[in-house]
Amino acid sequence: MDWVERVLGIRQYERHGERAPHKPLLLLHALGRFQRDGAGPIPFSAAETPLRRLLHEFGPPRATSPGYPFHHLANDDLIWVVETPAGPGSPGSGLTALREPGVQGRLHPDLAVALAERPGLLTQIARALLDANFEPSLHGDICQEAGLDLDGAALPSPVLPARDPAFRLAVLEAYEFSCAFCDYDGLLDGVAVRLDAAHLRWRAYGGPDDLVNGLCLCALHHRLLDRGVMGLTRDRTVTVSRKFMGRGQAARSLVQALSGRPVRAPQPGLPGVEPEHIDWHTAQVFRTPARTAA
């Protein structure tokens, strides 16, 4: 059985095109538990808080109950099982029922056996879930939050075509090796240091390796873009989430003070980011509402 293909085939509910990584986040949490504790059951009472945190940090901007994936993932064959003291079967997605003593979930026994018998399968599944649902800049943060250790050589993505190697250079050249948000332009021996080609629409959701979907950003602002802390308007000004809090001068000057600042334009004659990709990021990633312009 191809477990990676089966896991990637889990049914995801999407409302009005909203990205829905709820089940993948539960699976990543369960894989982290498997690494630490083996194939034992995971009481909902133990999973609720870390799963809520994963959904809040890496799910869509709209808040989602952790009861949703805990219950609904059991509808996907041979992946997840929910049990109550009365026997197999979920009591529903409501938190009151799931919080009852004895309600627990676990990886399906067939999957647990495969993970135990096939070294590397857990890493393959986890990387496939990450590739299929999130930008690479978030993978390390998600693994840390889920308690996953994926040390070792990176495996090629089984679900996405290889990133166009020309994309990064094309984007950096278009923006003259300067961050489009803050103008950082660090070089070491003539080579750009911590400058990235960031996607507005994530590749996992159809974002192309093309200038119309790319911005040159420093490593800090790339990470904040992918976390939904920062974004941009159709008028090409920087937005900063009101939910972002920074008490020190660095956070104020490097992030909050950029709210309302014009985004750097590419060189004349080259296309900027298309509105449809800006709209996707605003709806699917940015943590509304935006702060008042500085």
Side-chain angles (χ1 to χ4, degrees):
M1 178 182 298
D2 188 335
W3 283 105
V4 173
E5 183 177 335
R6 178 174 288 275
V7 166
L8 290 177
I10 57 177
R11 294 181 291 275
Q12 296 187 25
Y13 170 72
E14 297 186 28
R15 187 177 71 171
H16 306 305
E18 180 181 72
R19 64 187 181 95
H22 311 81
K23 292 179 182 180
L25 286 170
L26 170 58
L27 264 179
L28 290 165
H29 171 71
L31 291 173
R33 289 286 297 260
F34 183 90
Q35 275 190 325
R36 297 190 305 275
D37 305 324
I42 304 173
F44 181 76
S45 58
E48 180 178 2
T49 296
L51 184 53
R52 187 185 299 278
R53 193 161 53 239
L54 280 166
L55 290 168
H56 175 73
E57 293 294 327
F58 306 107
R62 179 176 60 88
T64 305
S65 166
Y68 168 80
F70 201 92
H71 163 71
H72 286 287
L73 185 56
N75 295 327
D76 290 271
D77 294 338
L78 303 180
I79 301 294
W80 179 251
V81 177
V82 178
E83 305 162 335
T84 72
S90 172
S93 61
L95 294 180
T96 300
L98 288 170
R99 287 169 178 163
E100 288 292 320
V103 177
Q104 58 192 24
R106 67 172 75 227
L107 295 174
H108 190 280
D110 290 354
L111 176 55
V113 168
L115 291 171
E117 293 181 346
R118 294 170 51 185
L121 178 60
L122 186 145
T123 298
Q124 279 187 294
I125 290 175
R127 289 194 185 280
L129 288 169
L130 290 167
D131 285 340
N133 293 278
F134 305 99
E135 279 291 276
S137 72
L138 302 180
H139 292 184
D141 291 344
I142 295 171
C143 287
Q144 183 174 359
E145 193 67 48
L148 267 170
D149 180 4
L150 301 184
D151 284 345
L155 298 176
S157 167
V159 290
L160 296 178
R163 185 185 297 261
D164 182 353
F167 174 68
R168 179 177 183 272
L169 181 58
V171 171
L172 268 58
E173 286 182 344
Y175 289 86
E176 300 184 273
F177 293 84
S178 294
C179 176
F181 284 2
C182 71
D183 293 330
Y184 166 80
D185 58 356
L187 300 174
L188 178 64
D189 293 333
V191 178
V193 178
R194 304 306 288 166
L195 282 171
D196 301 336
H199 292 81
L200 265 294
R201 182 192 293 267
W202 294 358
R203 294 183 73 242
Y205 293 87
D209 286 338
D210 194 281
L211 281 179
V212 298
N213 187 42
L215 279 177
C216 177
L217 294 178
C218 67
L220 171 65
H221 291 137
H222 185 186
R223 180 69 63 86
L224 295 180
L225 180 84
D226 289 345
R227 288 295 296 266
V229 171
M230 303 183 78
L232 64 157
T233 68
R234 279 185 161 224
D235 295 329
R236 309 306 197 276
T237 61
V238 176
T239 55
V240 178
S241 173
R242 194 185 298 171
K243 297 177 182 179
F244 174 80
M245 304 295 170
R247 294 180 290 275
Q249 178 58 36
R252 290 196 295 271
S253 62
L254 294 175
V255 183
Q256 294 163 337
L258 300 184
S259 177
R261 174 177 175 159
V263 173
R264 183 184 183 94
Q267 294 186 40
L270 295 178
V273 181
E274 289 185 347
E276 65 178 280
H277 300 313
I278 296 174
D279 292 346
W280 184 92
H281 182 273
T282 300
Q284 304 286 353
V285 181
F286 184 70
R287 302 290 171 166
T288 55
R291 300 175 70 92
T292 301

